[in-house]
Amino acid sequence: QVQLVQSGAEVKKPGASVKVSCKTSGYSFTGGYYIHWVRQAPGQGLEWMGWVSPKTGGTHYAENFQGRVTMTRDTSTSTVYMEVSRLRSEDTAVYYCAREESVDTTLMLDFWGQGTLVTVSS
Amino acid sequence: EIVLTQFPGTLSLSPGERATLSCRASQIIRSRSLNWYQQKPGQAPRLLIFGASIRATGIPDRFSGSGSGTDFTLTISRLEPEDFAVYYCQQYGNSQFTFGPGTRVDVK
């Protein structure tokens, strides 16, 4: 069965960086399924951050995160990574990875990781 | 950038009642580009409806989606206790995904 398992909670100081992993299994990692990252601040809604193509390594970031987010993948371990630099308190959130599925021309996020809480505090 | 608005912000209903949730886009979007997710406290979102009206695998038929253009609706025909949650619409276009702010369905 498809599974996305994320790394554990992190506590970081303002200005630091954090790197969250998302290990996938149960499907072909390089089979054309993009992995997206979505975050959710405490008590708030979902905010889309961008995607990475495990097949090519290509990426696309939301405008709000360009220059501060880097998404990468390791095909040997079927794992994708999302790194946020220059952290500030407003980056405190649960970060989710999710797999993009395509049916005809319809795109959707069909499987999600369990989420990783990143707390930014001095 | 397409902005999604959801209303009402909160819907207070009793089990067995019908829930009607709305999602409005700031410009016309393709119906195939509109999805709905359910999120319960402490859990990741779960895909409910894709392409505006197609139920995802394992989703009960009390959930239905409709709409086109700028106006889309998620309907829960008879609320079950496990349906009280937050619901998000989401659209994509030009390689970008956007989520609405969500509608909370809680127990009256």
Side-chain angles (χ1 to χ4, degrees), chain A:
Chain A
Q1 72 282 20
V2 176
Q3 284 192 307
L4 285 72
V5 179
Q6 298 183 224
S7 48
E10 303 262 13
V11 179
K12 296 291 182 180
K13 294 192 182 302
S17 298
V18 67
K19 192 170 187 177
V20 179
S21 68
C22 172
K23 184 172 177 58
T24 73
S25 61
Y27 73 101
S28 174
F29 182 67
T30 53
Y33 297 93
Y34 288 11
I35 296 293
H36 293 241
W37 288 89
V38 176
R39 77 176 185 181
Q40 186 169 39
Q44 302 301 308
L46 303 171
E47 182 178 21
W48 180 76
M49 300 178 67
W51 55 253
V52 57
S53 165
K55 184 175 183 178
T56 67
T59 56
H60 184 88
Y61 305 135
E63 189 172 335
N64 286 352
F65 296 98
Q66 285 179 8
R68 214 163 59 90
V69 165
T70 305
M71 298 176 189
T72 56
R73 95 292 194 208
D74 180 344
T75 57
S76 69
T77 60
S78 300
T79 301
V80 298
Y81 298 91
M82 188 279 303
E83 183 173 21
V84 183
S85 62
R86 303 191 302 278
L87 287 165
R88 36 197 190 235
S89 58
E90 308 89 90
D91 294 317
T92 293
V94 175
Y95 290 76
Y96 294 102
C97 61
R99 189 186 79 158
E100 178 192 290
E101 168 67 284
S102 172
V103 175
D104 293 332
T105 59
T106 298
L107 305 180
M108 67 208 80
L109 302 177
D110 64 345
F111 286 94
W112 294 65
Q114 82 277 19
T116 296
L117 174 62
V118 175
T119 303
V120 183
S121 174
S122 54

Side-chain angles (χ1 to χ4, degrees), chain B residues 24-74:
Chain B
R24 178 167 291 163
S26 58
Q27 55 188 275
I28 291 174
I29 62 174
R30 299 184 313 142
S31 294
R32 289 181 176 276
S33 306
L34 197 285
N35 304 321
W36 290 92
Y37 300 83
Q38 175 195 66
Q39 188 180 32
K40 297 179 182 179
Q43 296 184 17
R46 176 174 74 144
L47 177 67
L48 286 180
I49 300 285
F50 64 92
S53 62
I54 305 169
R55 277 188 299 277
T57 302
I59 301 303
D61 61 7
R62 63 180 181 274
F63 290 92
S64 63
S66 63
S68 64
T70 60
D71 292 302
F72 298 85
T73 300
L74 174 69

